[in-house]
């Protein structure tokens, strides 16, 4: 039954060795100052290179794009060099790795962005949302976000250019491609979702307008590095970080159609994954499949069997396994052989050092 997960698959010009995806997971261990990817992160990703595709943790495209302390960036020469260590280590193990390009928009605090006011589609504060700061004076910790300012047309052009440059930087750093983070309440999601966008210009209002920023960012990056090296992450039904859409089925089926027009390599859909969360409607999955011809990835509460079933049913092409990859660096082998999965330590997910990052062993019968 699980064989579906272990078939090869074409992704753009790449051939992936299996259909198991390690999705992006923030681990907050970049070297300070400078938010630079480091050897510890290179070891972590190399240990997990048996995944068909690794999508590295979100990496901010600019200083303004940073939402949390200690997350890596991809805009400075030092950051590009840091990521080169990571991609070299993964490629040495015959792995494939994409960079996730991230701008958080309003999901931040001035202490994380040099004292500036955050930017967003609209001057609407994300309600009941906190972010992690380290301002060097108080103890690092979580604080409420602040009200952003509405992006001007000039801001929009500027951020599109930052995404384009970040895509070029990712290729320079040795990544096989990039994933655009358009999910989980961050900047692009703040344009897409109706309840986070009250603009009255061509970037707000109807669904077509709310998808314009996404479309323009993808077009700029595709012109720079090729659409076949681009994936996009969407989260149609989550309300993470305060973004909600009134008509998610219509909005995100339309988004898939826009991305099909751009011929991006894949769409990566984050399903709601808390314990009693509703399942993503099968009708929605079928409608995405109908309008989008590229590779589809779903990530949520999957195990090997459920993932293989989804592939065999034609609903998805690849399956992301998030938290299981934290404590199981050899996850594909464990799924293949029905080995038990280790549980991760929730206290070492964010920040810190090797403990809870690179010290989880591969499976051993003894």
């Amino acid at each position: 039954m699980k064989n579906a997960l272990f078939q090869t698959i074409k992704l753009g010009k790449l051939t992936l060795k299996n259909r198991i995806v390690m999705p992006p997971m923030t681990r907050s261990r970049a070297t300070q100052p400078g938010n630079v990817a480091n050897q510890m992160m290179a070891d972590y990703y190399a240990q997990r290179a048996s995944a068909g595709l690794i999508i590295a943790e979100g990496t901010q495209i600019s200083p303004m794009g940073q939402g949390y302390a200690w997350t890596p960036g991809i805009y400075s020469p030092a950051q590009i060099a840091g990521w080169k260590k990571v991609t070299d280590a993964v490629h040495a193990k015959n792995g494939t790795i994409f960079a996730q390009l991230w701008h958080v928009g309003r999901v931040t605090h001035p202490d994380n962005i040099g004292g500036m006011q955050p930017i967003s589609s609209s001057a609407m504060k994300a309600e009941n949302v906190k972010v992690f700061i380290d301002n060097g004076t108080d103890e690092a910790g979580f604080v409420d976000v602040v009200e952003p300012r509405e992006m001007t047309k000039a801001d929009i052009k500027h951020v599109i250019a930052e995404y384009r440059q970040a895509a070029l930087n990712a290729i320079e750093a040795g990544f096989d491609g990039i994933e655009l983070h358009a999910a989980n309440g961050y900047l692009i999601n703040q344009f897409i979702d109706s309840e986070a966008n009250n603009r009255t210009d061509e970037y707000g209002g109807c669904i077509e307008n709310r998808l314009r920023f996404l479309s323009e960012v993808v077009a700029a990056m595709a012109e720079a590095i090729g659409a076949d090296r681009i994936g996009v992450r969407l989260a149609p039904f989550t309300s993470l970080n305060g973004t909600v859409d009134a008509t998610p089925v219509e909005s995100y089926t339309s988004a898939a159609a826009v991305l099909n027009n751009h011929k991006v390599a894949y769409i990566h859909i984050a399903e709601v994954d808390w314990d009693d969360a509703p399942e993503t409607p099968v009708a929605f999955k079928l409608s995405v499949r109908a309008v989008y011809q590229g590779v589809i990835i779903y990530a949520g509460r999957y195990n090997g069997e459920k993932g293989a079933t989804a592939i065999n049913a034609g609903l998805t092409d690849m399956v992301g396994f998030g938290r299981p990859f934290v404590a199981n660096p050899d996850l594909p082998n464990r799924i293949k052989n029905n080995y038990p999965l280790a549980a991760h330590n929730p206290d070492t997910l964010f920040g810190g050092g090797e403990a809870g990052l690179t010290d989880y062993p591969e499976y051993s019968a003894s």
Side-chain angles (χ1 to χ4, degrees):
M1 182 64 186
K2 288 179 189 156
N3 294 349
L5 287 167
F6 294 94
Q7 299 161 351
T8 60
I9 186 169
K10 289 277 287 178
L11 184 71
K13 295 187 178 79
L14 304 166
T15 300
L16 306 182
K17 58 197 170 196
N18 61 52
R19 297 178 179 228
I20 292 171
V21 177
M22 177 181 173
M25 291 179 282
T26 292
R27 302 306 304 273
S28 302
R29 282 169 167 85
T31 296
Q32 304 302 316
N35 295 313
V36 177
N38 51 42
Q39 187 59 47
M40 176 168 63
M41 291 162 59
D43 295 342
Y44 164 71
Y45 286 112
Q47 287 173 343
R48 289 154 180 81
S50 61
L53 173 64
I54 292 174
I55 306 161
E57 63 210 88
T59 184
Q60 55 261 10
I61 62 169
S62 67
M64 278 293 286
Q66 180 172 1
Y68 311 87
W70 313 335
T71 55
I74 196 160
Y75 51 87
S76 75
Q79 289 166 346
I80 295 169
W83 279 118
K84 188 84 174 78
K85 282 185 193 163
V86 174
T87 60
D88 284 349
V90 170
H91 290 148
K93 295 267 204 81
N94 297 314
T96 300
I97 184 167
F98 277 39
Q100 192 191 54
L101 302 186
W102 193 21
H103 193 306
V104 300
R106 68 187 186 175
V107 186
T108 189
H109 183 275
D111 281 2
N112 283 335
I113 53 174
M116 304 285 282
Q117 183 182 14
I119 56 175
S120 183
S121 60
S122 307
M124 298 164 70
K125 182 185 168 191
E127 293 304 328
N128 305 314
V129 174
K130 291 183 183 296
V131 292
F132 187 77
I133 65 164
D134 179 6
N135 60 17
T137 56
D138 311 309
E139 190 178 348
F142 284 89
V143 295
D144 285 321
V145 298
V146 300
E147 184 177 298
R149 67 174 180 81
E150 179 171 309
M151 289 168 70
T152 63
K153 299 280 178 63
D155 290 326
I156 288 171
K157 281 196 170 62
H158 179 73
V159 172
I160 290 169
E162 288 178 333
Y163 273 113
R164 181 183 184 278
Q165 186 59 51
L168 289 167
N169 293 353
I171 300 304
E172 186 184 337
F175 283 103
D176 298 297
I178 68 96
E179 175 174 288
L180 175 65
H181 198 347
N184 296 1
Y186 299 114
L187 181 62
I188 291 174
N189 203 171
Q190 291 157 28
F191 277 82
I192 297 173
D193 282 5
S194 59
E195 310 310 289
N197 180 344
N198 61 13
R199 299 178 73 94
T200 55
D201 62 5
E202 67 267 37
Y203 293 96
C206 65
I207 291 172
E208 183 186 358
N209 283 359
R210 300 198 314 273
L211 292 172
R212 191 179 307 278
F213 182 54
L214 166 69
S215 182
E216 290 179 354
V217 168
V218 170
M221 295 194 306
E223 182 271 321
I225 67 167
D228 61 312
R229 293 201 278 197
I230 295 171
V232 178
R233 191 168 215 208
L234 301 171
F237 300 100
T238 70
S239 54
L240 279 169
N241 294 314
T243 52
V244 179
D245 190 70
T247 59
V249 171
E250 292 81 356
S251 296
Y252 284 90
T253 304
S254 298
V258 166
L259 295 173
N260 191 62
N261 290 341
H262 286 293
K263 298 184 165 58
V264 300
Y266 72 79
I267 292 176
H268 180 187
I269 294 182
E271 300 188 67
V272 287
D273 64 353
W274 55 92
D275 287 339
D276 57 351
E279 294 288 330
T280 306
V282 172
F284 170 74
K285 292 183 177 182
L286 291 171
S287 65
V288 170
R289 181 57 97 189
V291 300
Y292 177 70
Q293 270 82 61
V295 169
I296 297 173
I297 303 169
Y298 280 93
R301 294 169 297 179
Y302 287 92
N303 56 27
E305 200 144 325
K306 193 176 166 195
T309 300
I311 293 171
N312 286 328
L315 296 175
T316 192
D317 301 298
M318 301 185 75
V319 178
F321 298 85
R323 293 180 200 107
F325 256 118
V326 172
N328 300 277
D330 56 337
L331 184 67
N333 193 44
R334 295 199 194 211
I335 290 173
K336 193 175 212 170
N337 294 295
N338 284 319
Y339 295 152
L341 298 188
H344 69 271
N345 175 0
D347 297 333
T348 54
L349 284 176
F350 306 108
E354 305 275 354
L357 188 75
T358 57
D359 61 348
Y360 289 109
E362 295 194 355
Y363 178 76
S364 147
S366 58

